[in-house]
Amino acid sequence: MPYIPFTEEQKITANSVELADFLRMRGEKLERAGREYKLIYSDGSGKHDSITMSGSTWFDHKNQVGGGAIKFMQYFYNMDFPTAVQELLGQRVTPLSHAPPKAAVQDEKPKIFKLPVANENMHRVFAYLIKQRFINPEIIGYFAKNHTLYEDKEHHNAVFVGVDEKGVPRQAHKRSTSTFGKSFRQTVEGSDTKYSFAHFGNSEKLFIFEAPIDMLSYITLYPENWRKHSYIAMNGVYENAVLTALKGHSKLSEIVICTDNDIGGIDAADRLRDVLCENNYKNILRIASNNKDFNEDLKQLNGVEYLPAVPHKIKEEYHRQAENLEYLKCRPEKLSSQIYAAFKNNQYKYLAEYALAGSAFFLPKTQRLSDENRAFLRLQIKLRNEYKAYADKGKTAQKQRNLSDSVQAIMQDLKQTARTREQSVNTAKLLFQLADNAVRMEVENALSQLIQEHCEEEIVHEPEHCMEFW
């Protein structure tokens, strides 16, 4: 395709398109999943719903890849960059034809699920899980006897099996047992994602993990009466099998999320909590490993090298900024000018404080409790608790536009001279949203400053390393 000189503004606009709305108008099928949407599509291996999207961002939980709107068009439809931008800008409208990444689909018939042929013994799987992963042999034996864990004949992989309500295998996940080279993990073709490797007991507790080895590691660490509880591995960070398990086991009412203690796992926990709440499950806890995951905890206990936890810097910084907001008494007659001045001068902390104080002021007296200061503190806690880092994947330019739109909306709203109770509530909500967008921009500035300071430190202390790069 010939070179098209898109302006920077056009690129930003294209990459900021609301994907759910765009795809729905183009005929794609989407389903609501908490605060996100799932894209429902089929290819040669069957029906899939592993891609979720929020605003202009998306994530493929199966393949662990995501990004903005332009990247989605390139990834999902195999478009080149110019075509993707033109489609998103509406400059061209062609029939969208899904071509799965890195795989040409010739046959739309779904693959038939078939378990890999089992080896006559489990010597390599036992050796790998016990010596390399430090899993309790009795726990391995339990799942082996139940035929949900075995060794395949061809490559000696560990095969973790998910069965349906009648005990029929519906899903299988292969994991290499080799200690050399890159580890191999793959879901068997034709697997039904509604089922996964699991154990169901008689108690009300369900423990949720990203992978089977995480699950076996947790049971090894906390073995007391483990069989009475229920455990499930998602094979990633997607909730399909979890929801199926909950619907099929009505006793399960206490849910414990045990995803990894890293950025992906923390985001997955927050997202899964929202999805579960949307499905009317309220008793939800989060247990985090001391290190990256529970198998890394086992490694540490056994004195071998392990991976530490990875802090979620964006989430932590947002919480810190929200907690540091100070109450400024709202003067409604000056609120518009205060907001405009703070926005114009990029004073995002002040902007957030003015907005949150204004939100407290416009709350109905019944929600304000005794005074605005207490209402401010309640809103400050709400701001911290409701922040979802998994939905905050936009670039700085997009966050700046969100803030600008929020400022324009509240400036227009504040022109009202008289308000009904409902209008006051709406004003409070707009101001709260403005505070959230302002804090997000303050986070961007703080993290950018940290990166800059780190780079400057490297330049000062390691000049020869920087020179080698060039």
Side-chain angles (χ1 to χ4, degrees), residues 386-405:
E386 291 190 355
Y387 174 69
K388 306 299 179 186
Y390 73 81
D392 187 19
K393 303 297 185 183
K395 294 184 179 179
T396 303
Q398 179 60 48
K399 293 180 183 181
Q400 182 68 55
R401 284 193 299 278
N402 292 342
L403 179 62
S404 179
D405 292 343

Side-chain angles (χ1 to χ4, degrees), residues 136-357:
N136 186 317
E138 292 182 5
I139 293 169
I140 301 170
Y142 174 84
F143 287 96
K145 288 176 183 177
N146 283 278
H147 307 293
T148 53
L149 171 59
Y150 68 93
E151 182 176 313
D152 80 346
K153 185 175 183 178
E154 185 176 4
H155 299 292
H156 302 283
N157 296 310
V159 182
F160 300 93
V161 182
V163 301
D164 64 15
E165 297 80 1
K166 297 179 181 179
V168 178
R170 298 293 187 188
Q171 184 264 8
H173 182 76
K174 296 188 290 186
R175 174 66 162 86
S176 65
T177 56
S178 173
T179 57
F180 303 99
K182 191 174 181 180
S183 62
F184 167 80
R185 288 176 289 181
Q186 184 184 68
T187 299
V188 175
E189 284 188 331
S191 288
D192 189 338
T193 59
K194 295 196 298 295
Y195 303 96
S196 190
F197 180 67
H199 164 77
F200 295 102
N202 296 318
S203 81
E204 298 80 16
K205 280 190 176 182
L206 173 66
F207 294 83
I208 303 171
F209 302 86
E210 289 187 30
I213 290 178
D214 297 335
M215 173 179 148
L216 297 179
S217 300
Y218 182 87
I219 297 172
T220 299
L221 287 164
Y222 307 100
E224 187 176 357
N225 298 320
W226 75 267
R227 292 191 192 183
K228 74 176 185 179
H229 303 308
S230 297
Y231 307 81
I232 189 167
M234 297 186 290
N235 292 328
V237 292
Y238 193 53
E239 76 282 350
N240 203 7
V242 174
L243 294 176
T244 300
L246 287 168
K247 291 173 183 176
H249 299 81
S250 57
K251 282 187 178 180
L252 296 174
S253 58
E254 184 178 341
I255 303 169
V256 185
I257 301 174
C258 306
T259 50
D260 291 359
N261 195 4
D262 59 10
I263 296 172
I266 293 168
D267 279 348
D270 288 342
R271 180 182 171 278
L272 184 55
R273 182 188 296 271
D274 285 345
V275 171
L276 291 169
C277 286
E278 286 279 331
N279 284 271
N280 297 316
Y281 294 100
K282 305 300 181 184
N283 190 1
I284 306 169
L285 304 174
R286 161 82 164 141
I287 293 179
S289 54
N290 295 321
N291 298 299
K292 178 186 174 294
D293 57 48
F294 290 104
N295 193 249
E296 300 302 325
D297 285 357
L298 268 182
K299 289 179 182 178
Q300 183 183 27
L301 285 175
N302 284 274
V304 301
E305 186 177 354
Y306 62 91
L307 296 174
V310 181
H312 199 309
K313 293 183 179 179
I314 295 176
K315 184 176 181 179
E316 290 179 0
E317 184 62 26
Y318 185 97
H319 286 178
R320 190 182 74 82
Q321 294 290 349
E323 289 164 0
N324 286 342
L325 296 179
E326 298 177 8
Y327 173 65
L328 301 173
K329 184 173 178 60
C330 178
R331 298 181 179 180
E333 73 280 0
K334 292 187 176 182
L335 188 56
S336 291
S337 58
Q338 289 171 329
I339 287 173
Y340 179 76
F343 173 68
K344 185 177 180 181
N345 295 311
N346 298 328
Q347 296 173 314
Y348 303 122
K349 183 175 184 290
Y350 283 131
L351 180 55
E353 290 170 341
Y354 289 135
L356 210 60

